[in-house]
Amino acid sequence: MGWSAVPGGYQVALRDGDVVARNAKGRELRSVPASLRDDPTVLGLRQLTEWLTRHEAQCRTDIERWMVRSLPVPVSVLTEVWPDEAWRTALTDLVVAVLDDDGHRDPDGVGLLRDAGDGQVGLVDLDGDTVRRTARRIVIPHPVTLDDLDDLREFAAELQVRQSVDQLFRQTWVRGPDVDPTATRCGEYSGGRYDQLRHLTARATKLGYPVRGGNAVCRIVEDGRTVEARSWVGADDPYFETETGDLVFTDRHGTALPLGAVGPVAWSEGTRMAAALYAGRVVAAQEEDGQ
């Protein structure tokens, strides 16, 4: 942390995202003096903090998109961004899989990402060994596609791994045998009552799901096919009462898909959205008491 001189004999610096100040005697102050509020150096540090916050959030968003869409990531890209602390923090300890020339996952190239450079990735494998694998591309698998997910979760817990991007401990849903594969609607999370529509749309937006045409929307690209999960929220007056509706999946033309034709990632992410919206419902007192 470097200190910068400002008027009045003070010095300011950036620490953990906050601007801190000390006086001419070197004693750190509880807050930045009011006289320095509009100082160009202080304003610059605050603007830098805001930019870093946005940058960190964008890194996590981009990585989550790679994961949800199972997009192959060139190791050359990882090498370029690795020196950036925000990227490195977001990528470290994510489960990655090395892809062969045909785009298939190498079973011996799966582990927690620890390093990237010179055409290689550094991994901690399931045996706890630190290894380096030569690779041109990797993929950050969606957890629902990991056959050894339980083992990986246990392994990560033993190592006290904390992922910046929600991957290993992300809630997943698997389509059960009770789901009619020919149906085009899933009503498991319908009927969640909200006092006002605006409360439901605000929750959807906060969770990162845009609302269009009365539906909260989650778009997934799986196996090269675009699928849109839509959970009905309502299209009336925003101050009217509403309920969560059925979950449907559509193709890129807006045609509803049979539930049996929905891939595992799209099913998991769509159901995750519907469940999150349903969880914010108004719960009646008797339901809370289990009556």
Side-chain angles (χ1 to χ4, degrees), residues 80-258:
E80 287 292 326
V81 302
W82 198 261
D84 184 321
E85 184 178 354
W87 276 105
R88 187 170 61 253
T89 299
L91 287 164
T92 296
D93 283 333
L94 290 180
V95 175
V96 302
V98 173
L99 298 178
D100 61 23
D101 291 338
D102 295 324
H104 300 133
R105 299 180 190 177
D106 179 354
D108 296 324
V110 177
L112 302 176
L113 183 63
R114 291 291 173 86
D115 187 28
D118 298 326
Q120 294 183 323
V121 289
L123 307 173
V124 176
D125 63 20
L126 275 174
D127 294 325
D129 297 326
T130 300
V131 298
R132 294 192 69 83
R133 294 281 186 263
T134 299
R136 292 178 53 247
R137 298 181 302 166
I138 59 96
V139 67
I140 303 170
H142 188 283
V144 80
T145 68
L146 291 168
D147 295 331
D148 49 0
L149 178 58
D150 290 338
D151 291 338
L152 284 164
R153 283 174 169 170
E154 183 178 349
F155 179 60
E158 290 175 359
L159 294 181
Q160 297 183 329
V161 164
R162 293 185 178 180
Q163 296 181 319
S164 295
V165 175
D166 190 14
Q167 184 198 29
L168 275 181
F169 296 97
R170 189 184 191 88
Q171 281 187 294
T172 58
W173 280 261
V174 177
R175 186 173 55 247
D178 56 326
V179 174
D180 181 358
T182 64
T184 57
R185 293 180 173 274
C186 176
E188 182 176 359
Y189 294 105
S190 62
R193 186 176 68 82
Y194 281 75
D195 285 336
Q196 296 179 5
L197 170 59
R198 66 190 183 99
H199 296 162
L200 178 50
T201 55
R203 180 173 177 83
T205 302
K206 183 177 180 180
L207 292 170
Y209 303 115
V211 176
R212 296 197 298 268
N215 290 285
V217 174
C218 176
R219 179 170 293 181
I220 305 99
V221 178
E222 186 172 6
D223 295 330
R225 183 179 69 160
T226 299
V227 175
E228 193 169 87
R230 300 178 180 179
S231 183
W232 178 256
V233 297
D236 294 321
D237 189 300
Y239 291 92
F240 283 5
E241 182 179 311
T242 192
E243 290 185 352
T244 56
D246 290 345
L247 173 66
V248 300
F249 297 86
T250 69
D251 62 18
R252 62 189 183 91
H253 301 295
T255 303
L257 296 170

Side-chain angles (χ1 to χ4, degrees), residues 272-286:
R272 179 174 182 262
M273 174 182 67
L277 297 180
Y278 183 78
R281 70 194 184 283
V282 174
V283 181
Q286 58 266 33

